[in-house]
Structure formats: C-alpha cells, structure tokens
Amino acid sequence: MTDHSTDTVLDAAILDKIADRRAERRNFLRYAGGAAASAGGLALLAACGGDNNGTSTPTPTPTATTPTLGADADVLNFALNLEYLEAQFYCWAAFGQALPASLTTGVGTPGTVTGGAAVPFSDPIVAQYAREIANDEVQHVAFLRGVLGASAVAMPAINIAGDANGAFTAAARAAGVVGATGTFNPYADDVSFLLGAYLFEDVGVSAYKGASPLINSKTFLEAAAGILAVESYHAGLIRSVLYRKGIDAPAIFTNARLISDARDGLDGTSDIDQGIGDATTANIVPTDANGLAYSRSTGQVLNIVYLNRAAVASGGFFPSGINGNIRTSAAS
C-alpha cells in the first residue's frame, strides 16, 4: 500500500524546483536554427504566455554550416505539422491563447484552429506541468521552422474543440470513453486535460522514433533525437500523473486503456499500444519485450490523428489534412 501522507510537502518542493530551473532550459535551438528561429522562439514564448522568471534568455548559437535539407525536408515538415497540433493544444490549455499568426505561415494551404480554451486547473502541479510542456512544444515549432526556412509548411486547419463536433469528442466516442452522444472536453478539468494530452504524447514519441531512420543528415537526426527525448519526458510525465490520480479514481485506468486500445485499432493489427496499468501494477513506460520504445510509420501516425484506419488524406484533428508531401494515412 502506498503512503501518500507526504504528497503536499513534495508537491511544494517540486514547484520550487520548477521555478528555479526555468531560466536554464531554453538552449536547444543552437543545433541548426540560426537567428531567425531564435527570434521566432522568443516571440512565441512571449505570445503564448511563457516567461523566464525575470532573467535574460540566452541567445542560441547557430552552427557554422547547416546541411542541405534535401529529402529530410519532407520528414521535418511532417514533424512540424504534429508540433503545430501539440503546441496549439497546450498553449490554449495552459495560457488560454493560440500561437501567433507569424509562426504559422509557410508553404501549402494555411488553416485556422477550431476550439481551444484555458483549463481551470485545480491542481497547481498539473498547471505547472502544462505550462512547461506548452513552452517546450512552441519552441519545437520555432526550431523546426528555423531549420526548414523557406521550405517550412504552413499550419493546416486544426480541430482541438472540446464540444460535440470536436475531434476530441470523436476520438472519445470511438474509444468508449464517452457514450455515442457524449462529449469529451479536454479543457474541462485537470483529468480531462491529462487524458487529452495522453492521447497525443504517446503518438508523438512513436512518431519521432519511427521517422528517425528516414533522416539522412546526422545534424538533423541529432536535433530530432533531442525532440524525441523531450516528447518522451512529456509522455512519461503525463502517464505518471494519470497513474497517481488513478489510485484515487480508478476510472482513469479504464479510460487510459480505452484510449490505448482505440489507438491500436486505428494503426494496424499489431498490439503495440499500452495503457498506464492498474492500481496494483504501474505501466509508466510502454515498451516491447526488450525494454525498447516502439515505432509508428508516418502512415500509422496519420491513422490516429485523422481518426481513420483507411488510407485517407484528412480527418480528425486535421480536417483538411496536413501540409507537405507526407500526408496520407496507411491502409490499416
């Protein structure tokens, strides 16, 4: 049996540590972004509500030479579409506002965001985590746009609404988290937000791992590995917090399993997705028999975000599809 009597003291200590290290974390743009990515990232943090506790933000140092994009541009633009989705969701949830228009322009058909709202957090720890993840995700957008330069795709149309017509509700109905006429609003409360984040985060980890063999440049591969690591931290964090809350509210375990099963049903016949466990056995890190994180192809990732197991070019969270040359889901 777990003793939770020290949770309040630990939570206060965690908040202090987060505040202390905020100014030390914003330095990964140096890999290949250059001054344009740096300026865009700082503007984005200000617009989305991020801060550095009154200290100066270090200016990222670009590499002396940036490798030619070539075919890597397709992979990086595929990732950029996913980062647009995550950044918009977290910015709205944590700060109640969207990305600035100046950081959503680019090649292809520009879109708008449907939905989004600030979460009325009751748990200060979850609120802190939401703000930290939001800042990471918007810097990912700025970083990828800086690397891609004029090749960066525009943000496509995104549906993150928490109403009856929203993609979150469609996903929750398909999973059985709500009934056939029910509504799932990820902005309603802390647990709903965590379940919405859980839907995205595991997919992001498997997407970056699956795309890594497609990247030719070692410089871009290193940068993608850095983003993969951050997404893994995010996924583990979301799963951990859900597990802790599930001890007191077992329905959380059930809903996480239903979302996991739904993702598995969309991306093919292999049973690779995993829930967070139950009250007696935690499953914070979903791995294979060798303790390795699993991969998804670009087509499988699109199956999930399009909410369709067929080969299609739009749907779900991207009602008009994504921009770029990689845009069709797999025939699962």
Side-chain angles (χ1 to χ4, degrees), residues 175 177 195 198 251-264 273-277:
V177 173
L195 288 171
Y198 168 72
I252 291 174
F253 295 131
T254 300
N255 287 333
R257 176 182 55 78
L258 290 171
I259 292 172
S260 172
D261 289 344
R263 290 187 304 219
D264 246 340
D273 211 302
Q274 299 168 26
I276 60 174

Side-chain angles (χ1 to χ4, degrees), residues 86-279:
E86 287 191 308
Q88 293 285 16
F89 169 64
Y90 284 113
C91 259
W92 273 108
F95 302 119
Q97 57 191 89
L99 302 178
S102 61
L103 283 162
T104 61
T105 58
V107 180
T109 304
T112 58
V113 178
T114 300
V119 177
F121 292 108
S122 59
D123 185 337
I125 296 295
V126 177
Q128 286 277 20
Y129 288 159
R131 289 191 285 270
E132 182 169 7
I133 295 175
N135 283 330
D136 288 339
E137 297 299 349
V138 297
Q139 283 201 343
H140 290 174
V141 169
F143 173 69
L144 290 172
R145 286 175 60 87
V147 170
L148 286 159
S151 299
V153 295
M155 185 197 76
I158 289 175
N159 184 323
I160 51 171
D163 58 21
N165 298 316
F168 279 109
T169 291
R173 288 176 180 174
V177 173
V178 299
T181 60
T183 298
F184 178 74
N185 178 8
Y187 313 102
D189 50 52
D190 297 53
V191 171
S192 296
F193 161 75
L194 290 166
L195 288 171
Y198 168 72
L199 193 158
F200 287 148
E201 289 298 343
D202 283 358
V203 178
V205 173
S206 60
Y208 274 102
K209 184 171 183 290
S212 61
L214 306 177
I215 299 176
N216 296 308
S217 162
K218 290 184 178 180
T219 299
F220 296 147
L221 180 59
E222 180 185 13
I227 298 179
L228 169 59
V230 174
E231 298 293 350
S232 298
Y233 280 122
H234 293 170
L237 173 64
I238 295 299
R239 294 173 72 95
S240 297
V241 179
L242 278 171
Y243 187 85
R244 171 62 185 84
K245 291 184 178 296
I247 297 297
D248 299 322
I252 291 174
F253 295 131
T254 300
N255 287 333
R257 176 182 55 78
L258 290 171
I259 292 172
S260 172
D261 289 344
R263 290 187 304 219
D264 246 340
L266 287 167
D267 67 7
T269 57
S270 297
D271 185 7
I272 60 174
D273 211 302
Q274 299 168 26
I276 60 174
D278 55 35

Side-chain angles (χ1 to χ4, degrees), residues 16 22 27 48 66 78 117 122 125 167 170 180 219 237 250 254 268 280 321:
D16 289 342
R22 171 64 60 193
N27 204 24
C48 191
T66 300
F78 174 75
S122 59
I125 296 295
T219 299
L237 173 64
T254 300
T280 59

Side-chain angles (χ1 to χ4, degrees), residues 32-107:
S38 174
L42 295 177
L44 181 53
L45 285 176
C48 191
D51 63 69
N52 57 12
N53 292 326
T55 61
S56 60
T57 302
T59 301
T61 304
T63 54
T65 59
T66 300
T68 303
L69 282 168
D72 289 345
D74 289 340
V75 181
L76 297 177
N77 269 318
F78 174 75
L80 179 57
N81 281 279
L82 301 179
E83 296 294 349
Y84 281 138
L85 173 62
E86 287 191 308
Q88 293 285 16
F89 169 64
Y90 284 113
C91 259
W92 273 108
F95 302 119
Q97 57 191 89
L99 302 178
S102 61
L103 283 162
T104 61
T105 58
V107 180

